[in-house]
């Protein structure tokens, strides 16, 4: 097992900000990217947290991630928007695109947003939370243009990405429902985290380079690559294809159908539908029934080893509260990779390490 460092969110954010500033980002962009990654750690999504910094730096160095870009409007048809992210940081592009979609949903009651060619949008739940803050329902389908890492159900090699689905639903008088999931059985970043920690994966998540089931995470991280399996077998596979067709083809991003695994960039396409429930004519029923159903589900007697039944979004909120108190654990392998990535952009490892510890 790898040793780990426990770091507070504030100083860690400032250290990560230093890396992206050195990569050419203006101060606001560097802050948005760093804060977004640290928030992923705080909510328990370590796969989308600061451990992805080295991949971003590789994308910068190969020229496939462009600093200081903004979402460009390609179509403005009232409740329908088509935007292009210009390979810019998804932490900026996703925020801008969602803000535009919120404005249109408030105006028209609904917005269909097609976002193409954003660099990694990171935790899609953050954009759902942005819509939830405006009391809007959001439904998002996202595809991934990177190296293929997930096998189709019944297949033995990788053919597409982790292709997340995210749904946010406000619930009157209580925190919202927030489902944010990869259509793979496990996020690729979680495989990387397990590899860096020297841990095995549970069975049923990964295939080796010959298409055989394995629990060794190296097949998801270093050559010879294997493939992740889909969640829920054919059901997750079906959702993954939906993400390619809607998040990829319909948005104009494109779909994955290449054997080229050489590029480091992570491009996302996202189709999002935002709905204002107050404009649908069912607001009173929606408020009453959503809360009643959430309460009903939570009252199910918990199974052995479970303290209580939760709905989607609650585990992340609980993890955030705990990590804000206790700090974020970053394994030593991941931390050394982050320090090395900073040095490649001219930021001294010692300076980063001091900043992350608030020294």
């Amino acid at each position: 097992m790898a040793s780990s460092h426990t770091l507070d969110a504030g100083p860690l954010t400032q250290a990560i900000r230093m890396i992206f500033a050195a990569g050419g980002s203006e101060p606001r962009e560097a802050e948005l990217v760093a804060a977004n990654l640290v928030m992923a750690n705080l909510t328990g999504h370590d796969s989308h947290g600061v451990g992805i910094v080295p991949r971003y730096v590789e994308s910068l160095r190969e020229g496939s991630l462009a600093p200081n870009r903004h979402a460009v409007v390609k179509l403005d048809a009232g409740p329908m928007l088509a935007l292009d992210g210009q390979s810019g940081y998804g932490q900026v592009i996703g925020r801008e695109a969602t803000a535009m979609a919120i404005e249109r949903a408030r105006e028209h009651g609904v917005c269909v947003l097609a976002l193409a060619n954003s660099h990694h949008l990171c935790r899609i739940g953050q954009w759902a939370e942005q819509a939830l803050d405006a009391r809007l329902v959001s439904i998002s389908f996202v595809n991934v243009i990177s190296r293929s890492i997930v096998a189709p159900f019944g297949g033995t090699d990788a053919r597409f990405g982790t292709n997340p689905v995210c749904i946010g639903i406000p619930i009157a008088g209580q925190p919202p429902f927030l489902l944010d999931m990869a259509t793979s059985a496990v996020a690729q970043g979680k495989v990387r985290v397990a590899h860096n920690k020297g841990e095995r994966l549970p069975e049923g998540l990964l295939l080796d380079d010959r298409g055989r089931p394995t629990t060794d995470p190296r097949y998801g991280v270093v050559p010879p690559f294997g493939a992740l399996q889909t969640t829920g077998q054919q059901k997750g596979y079906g959702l993954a294809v939906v993400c390619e067709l809607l998040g990829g083809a319909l948005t104009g991003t494109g779909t994955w159908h290449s054997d080229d695994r050489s590029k480091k960039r992570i491009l996302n396409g996202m189709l999002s539908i935002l709905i204002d429930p107050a404009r649908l004519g069912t607001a009173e029923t929606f408020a009453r029934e959503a809360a009643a159903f959430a309460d009903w589900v939570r009252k199910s007697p918990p199974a052995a080893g479970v303290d209580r039944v939760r709905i989607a979004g609650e585990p992340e909120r609980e993890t955030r509260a705990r990590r804000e108190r206790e700090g974020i654990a970053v394994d030593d392998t991941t931390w050394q990779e982050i320090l090395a990535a900073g040095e490649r952009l001219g930021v001294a490892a010692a300076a980063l390490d001091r900043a992350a510890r608030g020294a």
Side-chain angles (χ1 to χ4, degrees):
M1 298 288 290
S3 61
S4 66
H5 308 263
T6 301
L7 306 169
D8 290 335
L12 178 58
T13 300
Q14 291 310 305
I16 301 302
R17 181 194 60 77
M18 291 166 61
I19 295 175
F20 294 116
S25 290
E26 296 173 351
R28 181 175 180 275
E29 177 171 272
E31 180 64 27
L32 286 174
V33 177
N36 174 273
L37 296 179
V38 172
M39 181 57 70
N41 286 110
L42 282 173
T43 55
H45 291 268
D46 293 326
S47 58
H48 290 61
V50 297
I52 206 167
V53 167
R55 182 71 176 271
Y56 282 17
V57 170
E58 291 175 337
S59 297
L60 276 172
R61 285 162 57 85
E62 77 175 11
S64 58
L65 169 56
N68 307 316
R69 296 287 179 88
H70 298 279
V72 173
V73 177
K74 295 295 186 179
L75 172 73
D76 183 345
M80 299 185 74
L81 287 171
L83 309 178
D84 192 287
Q86 304 188 91
S87 300
Y89 279 102
Q91 287 80 0
V92 173
I93 304 301
R95 181 186 181 96
E96 293 176 346
T98 304
M100 287 186 234
I102 288 170
E103 180 184 347
R104 296 309 170 86
R106 283 172 166 164
E107 181 180 356
H108 300 283
V110 65
C111 179
V112 177
L113 167 69
L115 173 61
N117 301 317
S118 170
H119 198 265
H120 191 229
L121 285 162
C122 198
R123 185 177 65 94
I124 307 303
Q126 179 138 342
W127 318 127
E129 288 166 352
Q130 190 176 341
L132 286 166
D133 286 343
R135 305 300 297 171
L136 300 176
V137 172
S138 70
I139 305 166
S140 297
F141 304 95
V142 183
N143 86 320
V144 184
I145 300 295
S146 184
R147 69 173 177 86
S148 53
I149 58 175
V150 184
F153 178 69
T156 57
D157 69 349
R159 294 283 155 167
F160 45 83
T162 53
N163 293 7
V165 172
C166 184
I167 300 170
I169 303 173
I171 301 178
Q174 55 183 277
F177 172 93
L178 178 53
L179 176 66
D180 183 8
M181 55 171 274
T183 52
S184 55
V186 62
Q188 196 276 337
K190 291 185 178 178
V191 179
R192 170 180 47 78
V193 170
H195 179 261
N196 286 352
K197 289 183 175 181
E199 298 175 347
R200 306 290 290 193
L201 292 170
E203 294 182 356
L205 304 183
L206 186 63
L207 304 175
D208 67 15
D209 60 319
R210 297 175 62 183
R212 303 169 303 187
T214 182
T215 62
D216 188 343
R218 71 184 178 90
Y219 288 104
V221 180
V222 296
F225 292 114
L228 306 181
Q229 299 191 67
T230 53
T231 187
Q233 299 181 325
Q234 74 273 17
K235 296 177 183 179
Y237 169 42
L239 281 175
V241 173
V242 167
C243 288
E244 285 293 339
L245 299 180
L246 297 182
L250 188 60
T251 64
T253 300
T255 59
W256 182 261
H257 42 79
S258 172
D259 291 326
D260 182 7
R261 296 186 173 190
S262 63
K263 295 182 175 62
K264 301 301 182 182
R265 52 94 172 98
I266 311 170
L267 287 180
N268 288 145
M270 179 171 71
L271 182 76
S272 292
I273 302 166
L274 272 62
I275 303 167
D276 185 351
R279 301 280 295 278
L280 202 56
T282 62
E284 184 177 336
T285 302
F286 174 65
R288 181 182 67 249
E289 291 298 317
F293 181 71
D295 289 340
W296 166 255
V297 169
R298 290 190 188 98
K299 289 177 182 176
S300 176
V306 177
D307 60 343
R308 65 182 180 87
V309 173
R310 294 165 171 80
I311 64 170
E314 288 184 281
E316 289 85 352
R317 289 187 286 270
E318 292 172 2
T319 299
R320 177 178 176 180
R322 183 177 68 254
R323 291 187 174 186
E324 284 178 337
R325 293 192 310 268
E326 301 174 1
I328 297 167
V330 180
D331 67 86
D332 187 61
T333 300
T334 297
W335 187 236
Q336 294 305 318
E337 290 175 350
I338 292 170
L339 296 180
E343 288 200 315
R344 285 195 288 274
L345 295 179
V347 184
L352 277 178
D353 194 69
R354 287 195 300 272
R357 299 176 194 283

mmCIF file of all heavy atoms in Angstrom, residues 73 237 286:
data_model
loop_
_atom_site.group_PDB
_atom_site.id
_atom_site.type_symbol
_atom_site.label_atom_id
_atom_site.label_comp_id
_atom_site.label_asym_id
_atom_site.label_seq_id
_atom_site.Cartn_x
_atom_site.Cartn_y
_atom_site.Cartn_z
ATOM 1 N N VAL A 73 -20.686 30.379 -29.600
ATOM 2 C CA VAL A 73 -22.039 30.043 -30.025
ATOM 3 C C VAL A 73 -22.038 29.718 -31.516
ATOM 4 O O VAL A 73 -21.669 30.549 -32.342
ATOM 5 C CB VAL A 73 -23.021 31.183 -29.726
ATOM 6 C CG1 VAL A 73 -24.423 30.836 -30.243
ATOM 7 C CG2 VAL A 73 -23.070 31.484 -28.233
ATOM 8 N N TYR A 237 -24.077 -0.772 -21.200
ATOM 9 C CA TYR A 237 -23.601 -0.732 -22.583
ATOM 10 C C TYR A 237 -24.559 0.085 -23.451
ATOM 11 O O TYR A 237 -24.136 0.927 -24.250
ATOM 12 C CB TYR A 237 -23.471 -2.165 -23.098
ATOM 13 C CG TYR A 237 -23.236 -2.314 -24.579
ATOM 14 C CD1 TYR A 237 -22.351 -1.483 -25.262
ATOM 15 C CD2 TYR A 237 -23.901 -3.316 -25.288
ATOM 16 C CE1 TYR A 237 -22.132 -1.652 -26.630
ATOM 17 C CE2 TYR A 237 -23.682 -3.489 -26.646
ATOM 18 C CZ TYR A 237 -22.806 -2.646 -27.316
ATOM 19 O OH TYR A 237 -22.597 -2.810 -28.659
ATOM 20 N N PHE A 286 -45.193 18.168 -8.475
ATOM 21 C CA PHE A 286 -43.779 17.806 -8.496
ATOM 22 C C PHE A 286 -43.137 18.007 -7.129
ATOM 23 O O PHE A 286 -42.438 17.122 -6.620
ATOM 24 C CB PHE A 286 -43.052 18.633 -9.558
ATOM 25 C CG PHE A 286 -41.561 18.455 -9.567
ATOM 26 C CD1 PHE A 286 -40.988 17.237 -9.886
ATOM 27 C CD2 PHE A 286 -40.720 19.513 -9.245
ATOM 28 C CE1 PHE A 286 -39.615 17.066 -9.886
ATOM 29 C CE2 PHE A 286 -39.346 19.361 -9.245
ATOM 30 C CZ PHE A 286 -38.798 18.128 -9.567
#
